Amino acid sequence: NFMLTQPHSVSESPGKTVTISCTRSSGSIASNYVQWYQQRPGSAPTTVIYEDNQRPSGVPDRFSGSIDRSSNSASLTISGLKTEDEADYYCQSYDSSNHWVFGGGTKLTVL
Amino acid sequence: QVQLVQSGAEVKKPGASVKVSCKASGYTFTSYYMHWVRQAPGQGLEWMGIINPSGGSTSYAQKFQGRVTMTRDTSTSTVFMELSSLRSEDTAVYYCARAQTGTAPDYWGQGTLVTVSS
C-alpha cells in the first residue's frame, strides 16, 4: 500500500497565501482522487476540496486544490488567509480496494 | 436537514468490546454508504471501514480485520461499529461519515470518545 506524506506544520500571516503538500509514496497521484479535510480543535472534519480540485458548496473560493504528476503530489492552497483558517488539514485518497488512505495531517497556524 | 447523531462516550476495560451507534436522519438511509474513521488523542485520522446500509455489505481496513464489525438497522436508520479485544491504543474519538460511492463524505457525526483503561 502507499502512504501520503504531509508537512507536520505550516504557518503564515493573515492575508497571505499558503500551500500544503501531500506526496504519494508509490503509484500515481493521478490514479485516484484526492480530498482535503479541515478539522478545527474539538470538531469533526469537514471537506474543503474533493476530487482533486472541487469545492463543496459553502467553501470559499480562497480554497483550491491541484495535483502535480511530476512531484506525485497534491496541494491545498489557501489564499487571503484568515485567522479562522487556523486548523489541521488532512489529505485523503483511495487504495486499490477503494479504502481510504489519510495523510498524517498538517497544522496550519495563522499568525 | 441531514444529521448523524452518535452515541455517548464509553469507558471500557482492556479486552472488552464497544459498540458505537450512528443514527441518520434527514435523508434516505439506504442511499449513502457510511464510513467509520477514528482519531487517537493528538493523532491523525484513521479509516476503519465502510458499510452499505442498503444490503449491509462491509469492507474493513486490514488493520481491523477480525476485530471490527459494522452492521445496520434499517428500521431505525442506524449503523453500528463494534470493536472487540480493546486495548489502550484503541482510545480514540470514533466518527461516522456519510458518502456516496467513491466520493468524499458530506456529513460527519459528532464523534464518540472511547476510552480504554484498566
Side-chain angles (χ1 to χ4, degrees):
Chain A
N1 224 346
F2 65 90
M3 295 195 310
L4 297 172
T5 300
Q6 301 180 232
H8 289 298
S9 63
V10 295
S11 61
E12 191 48 270
S13 304
K16 300 291 191 181
T17 296
V18 71
T19 297
I20 299 171
S21 62
C22 171
T23 302
R24 181 166 169 157
S25 62
S26 62
S28 172
I29 191 71
S31 59
N32 305 95
Y33 283 132
V34 175
Q35 277 67 238
W36 289 91
Y37 305 100
Q38 176 190 70
Q39 186 180 33
R40 296 191 174 102
S43 296
T46 61
T47 305
V48 292
I49 293 291
Y50 68 97
E51 292 180 3
D52 296 342
N53 54 20
Q54 302 299 303
R55 269 179 296 105
S57 60
V59 173
D61 60 6
R62 301 184 296 105
F63 289 79
S64 63
S66 63
I67 62 168
D68 181 352
R69 289 172 173 78
S70 65
S71 60
N72 212 35
S73 64
S75 294
L76 171 68
T77 299
I78 311 171
S79 60
L81 274 170
K82 301 184 176 185
T83 54
E84 69 205 44
D85 299 330
E86 189 161 291
D88 293 328
Y89 291 86
Y90 295 89
C91 61
Q92 173 259 312
S93 190
Y94 305 91
D95 68 12
S96 56
S97 300
N98 238 16
H99 294 178
W100 291 3
V101 179
F102 284 104
T106 299
K107 180 179 179 61
L108 169 62
T109 302
V110 182
L111 32 66
Chain B
Q1 73 283 21
V2 173
Q3 283 193 302
L4 300 177
V5 179
Q6 298 184 221
S7 48
E10 303 259 15
V11 178
K12 296 292 183 182
K13 293 197 183 305
S17 298
V18 68
K19 192 170 187 177
V20 179
S21 68
C22 171
K23 183 173 175 58
S25 62
Y27 70 98
T28 302
F29 177 65
T30 52
S31 294
Y32 290 79
Y33 289 71
M34 201 72 79
H35 296 259
W36 287 91
V37 174
R38 77 177 187 179
Q39 185 172 37
Q43 302 301 308
L45 302 173
E46 182 174 34
W47 185 79
M48 299 182 69
I50 182 175
I51 182 168
N52 179 354
S54 178
S57 61
T58 56
S59 185
Y60 304 135
Q62 191 166 5
K63 174 177 179 175
F64 301 103
Q65 287 275 3
R67 273 211 309 147
V68 70
T69 305
M70 296 176 188
T71 56
R72 94 289 191 217
D73 180 345
T74 55
S75 69
T76 60
S77 298
T78 303
V79 295
F80 302 91
M81 186 285 299
E82 184 170 20
L83 189 62
S84 62
S85 302
L86 290 169
R87 32 207 188 233
S88 59
E89 310 90 87
D90 294 316
T91 293
V93 175
Y94 290 76
Y95 294 101
C96 58
R98 174 190 102 151
Q100 293 192 313
T101 311
T103 66
D106 53 1
Y107 287 91
W108 295 67
Q110 84 277 19
T112 297
L113 175 62
V114 175
T115 302
V116 182
S117 174
S118 55

